C-alpha cells in the first residue's frame, strides 16, 4: 500500500482524480493526502473519498501563499515521521489558476498564475522530495497551450512568450492567456530540470488532461467567456474531469506508466513528443536558479 499526495483536490480535475483513486479496488487503493484551500469543499471531497473506502487526510493550504505551502509540507513530514500515513510514493501537482488580471499579486508579491501553477509546487516538491519513498513518481500538470496550433489560433489562445522567469513572476499589465501559457511552459522546463536533480528512484512526468472548457480554472474570466466554455464542454470528445481524472490517477499509480521519467509528456492517455521550444537546457537551468531565488524571498514588492 502507498500514499499519494494531490494538490487542488476540491474541484474539476483534482476532485475527479481524487475520487478515481479512492474508488479503486482495495488492493490498488492508496491512502490520500489532500492539500487544498481549507473549507467545505475540501471537507466534502475528503468525506466522499472516505465513503468510497479510502483513508484520507486533509491538509488545508492556500497555494497562493508560500507560507501555507511550507506549513503543509511540514505537516506531511511530521505525519510520515510519526507513522500516521503509509510511505509517500506519488505527488500529483494538480492545483492550477488562471487569473484574468496579470497585475494581481500573490501574498508573496508574485504574478498569481505563475505563483500557483509553478512556484507553489516547486516549493512543495522541494520540501518533500527527500521523504518520497522510492520508487516514487512526481506528476506535474501541463498544458499544450505553451505553443500555438491551428485550433488555438482560431480560438485566440495565445502561446507562451518566454522571458526571464524573474520578469514572468512580476505582476504587470499583460495578457492572462500568455501568463497561463508561460506558466505551463515553465512546468515543462521545471520537469526536465527536476529530473536532473532528484535521485534515480524518482520519476518525473507531465500530464496534459486535454482541453476542458467550462471548469473552475477559468472562474476569473468574464461571464460570457465562461458560458462559451460550458457550451463547448458539451461537445462529444472534449475532455472532461470525469474522463481525464482517472487518466491522471493512472499516471500516479499504474504499472503502465512506471517507467516514465525526464518530464515525459502524456496527453490524456498517450505519450506525446513536446514541441522543440519545450526542451531548452539553458532555459531550464535558468528557471531552476530563478525559482530558487524567488522561493528564498519571503516577500516581493515591486
Amino acid at each position: 500500500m502507498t500514499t499519494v499526495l494531490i494538490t487542488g483536490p476540491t474541484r474539476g480535475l483534482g476532485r475527479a482524480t481524487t475520487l478515481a483513486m479512492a474508488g479503486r479496488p482495495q488492493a490498488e487503493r492508496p491512502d490520500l493526502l489532500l492539500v487544498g484551500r481549507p473549507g467545505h469543499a475540501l471537507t466534502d471531497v475528503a468525506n466522499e473519498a472516505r465513503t468510497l473506502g479510502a483513508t484520507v487526510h486533509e491538509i488545508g493550504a492556500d497555494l497562493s501563499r508560500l507560507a501555507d505551502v511550507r506549513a503543509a509540507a511540514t505537516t506531511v513530514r511530521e505525519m510520515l515521521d510519526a507513522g500516521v500515513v503509509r510511505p509517500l510514493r506519488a505527488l500529483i501537482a494538480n492545483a492550477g489558476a488562471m487569473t484574468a488580471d496579470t497585475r494581481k499579486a500573490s501574498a508573496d508579491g508574485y504574478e498569481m498564475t505563475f505563483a500557483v501553477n509553478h512556484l507553489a509546487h516547486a516549493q512543495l516538491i522541494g520540501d518533500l522530495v527527500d521523504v518520497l519513498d522510492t520508487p516514487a513518481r512526481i506528476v506535474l500538470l501541463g498544458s499544450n497551450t505553451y505553443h500555438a496550433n491551428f485550433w488555438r489560433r482560431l480560438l485566440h489562445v495565445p502561446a507562451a512568450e518566454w522571458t526571464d522567469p524573474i520578469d514572468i513572476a512580476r505582476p504587470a499589465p499583460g495578457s492572462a492567456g500568455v501568463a497561463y501559457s508561460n506558466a505551463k511552459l515553465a512546468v515543462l522546463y521545471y520537469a526536465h530540470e527536476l529530473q536532473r536533480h532528484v535521485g534515480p528512484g524518482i520519476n518525473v512526468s507531465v500530464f496534459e488532461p486535454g482541453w476542458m472548457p467550462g471548469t473552475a480554472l477559468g472562474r476569473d474570466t468574464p461571464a460570457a467567456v465562461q458560458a462559451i466554455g460550458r457550451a463547448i464542454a458539451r461537445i462529444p470528445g472534449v475532455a472532461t474531469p470525469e474522463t481525464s481524472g482517472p487518466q491522471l490517477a493512472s499516471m500516479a499509480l499504474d504499472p503502465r506508466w512506471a517507467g516514465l521519467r525526464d518530464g515525459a509528456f502524456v496527453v490524456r492517455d498517450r505519450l506525446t513528443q513536446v514541441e522543440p521550444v519545450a526542451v531548452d537546457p539553458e532555459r531550464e537551468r535558468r528557471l531552476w536558479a530563478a525559482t530558487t531565488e524567488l522561493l528564498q524571498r519571503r516577500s516581493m514588492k515591486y
Side-chain angles (χ1 to χ4, degrees):
M1 295 293 290
T2 187
T3 296
V4 177
L5 183 155
I6 181 170
T7 66
T10 59
R11 296 185 175 117
L13 179 65
R15 182 182 182 89
T17 303
T18 297
L19 297 180
M21 292 189 289
R24 287 189 161 219
Q26 184 174 1
E28 302 174 13
R29 184 187 303 135
D31 293 348
L32 299 173
L33 296 178
L34 307 186
V35 178
R37 191 184 295 272
H40 292 302
L42 183 61
T43 301
D44 289 348
V45 70
N47 286 338
E48 190 169 349
R50 292 185 184 105
T51 299
L52 293 171
T55 297
V56 182
H57 299 273
E58 306 158 49
I59 302 174
D62 179 347
L63 269 72
S64 71
R65 306 178 65 90
L66 290 175
D68 276 23
V69 178
R70 296 182 189 109
T74 297
T75 298
V76 173
R77 297 179 72 94
E78 291 172 347
M79 293 172 75
L80 289 167
D81 288 344
V84 174
V85 295
R86 300 174 191 269
L88 179 62
R89 293 207 176 98
L91 190 157
I92 303 175
N94 164 76
M98 180 177 176
T99 305
D101 186 354
T102 58
R103 297 169 298 179
K104 184 177 181 180
S106 70
D108 304 280
Y110 302 125
E111 192 281 316
M112 187 67 78
T113 300
F114 189 72
V116 175
N117 287 279
H118 171 59
L119 292 176
H121 289 126
Q123 180 74 64
L124 184 67
I125 291 167
D127 287 347
L128 293 178
V129 68
D130 64 318
V131 295
L132 285 169
D133 190 72
T134 58
R137 307 181 197 184
I138 297 173
V139 185
L140 305 170
L141 197 71
S143 171
N144 267 324
T145 61
Y146 72 89
H147 73 98
N149 64 9
F150 171 79
W151 292 108
R152 282 187 280 281
R153 290 190 187 98
L154 185 66
L155 293 167
H156 303 289
V157 177
E161 296 177 6
W162 191 257
T163 59
D164 189 82
I166 299 295
D167 293 328
I168 292 173
R170 181 178 291 112
S175 163
V178 170
Y180 182 76
S181 296
N182 279 343
K184 290 305 182 180
L185 182 55
V187 167
L188 288 166
Y189 288 154
Y190 173 72
H192 301 151
E193 190 66 17
L194 177 63
Q195 187 68 80
R196 299 182 186 110
H197 287 261
V198 299
I202 300 174
N203 289 356
V204 183
S205 60
V206 180
F207 176 71
E208 150 68 281
W211 187 40
M212 290 193 296
T215 66
L217 180 65
R219 58 186 175 270
D220 285 344
T221 58
V225 174
Q226 294 185 47
I228 292 171
R230 288 191 295 270
I232 294 174
R234 292 192 288 269
I235 298 174
V238 172
T240 66
E242 291 70 29
T243 57
S244 294
Q247 293 165 346
L248 178 52
S250 176
M251 286 273 292
L253 294 170
D254 287 343
R256 174 187 179 188
W257 304 113
L260 284 185
R261 58 185 288 110
D262 299 321
F265 191 56
V266 173
V267 179
R268 300 177 79 164
D269 63 351
R270 182 170 57 89
L271 183 61
T272 303
Q273 187 72 32
V274 295
E275 297 296 317
V277 69
V279 181
D280 189 320
E282 182 176 346
R283 287 183 175 182
E284 291 157 11
R285 286 191 294 269
R286 174 57 189 152
L287 176 65
W288 187 271
T291 298
T292 300
E293 178 184 341
L294 292 167
L295 295 180
Q296 287 174 345
R297 303 179 189 181
R298 287 298 183 263
S299 178
M300 277 291 285
K301 301 297 181 184
Y302 291 102

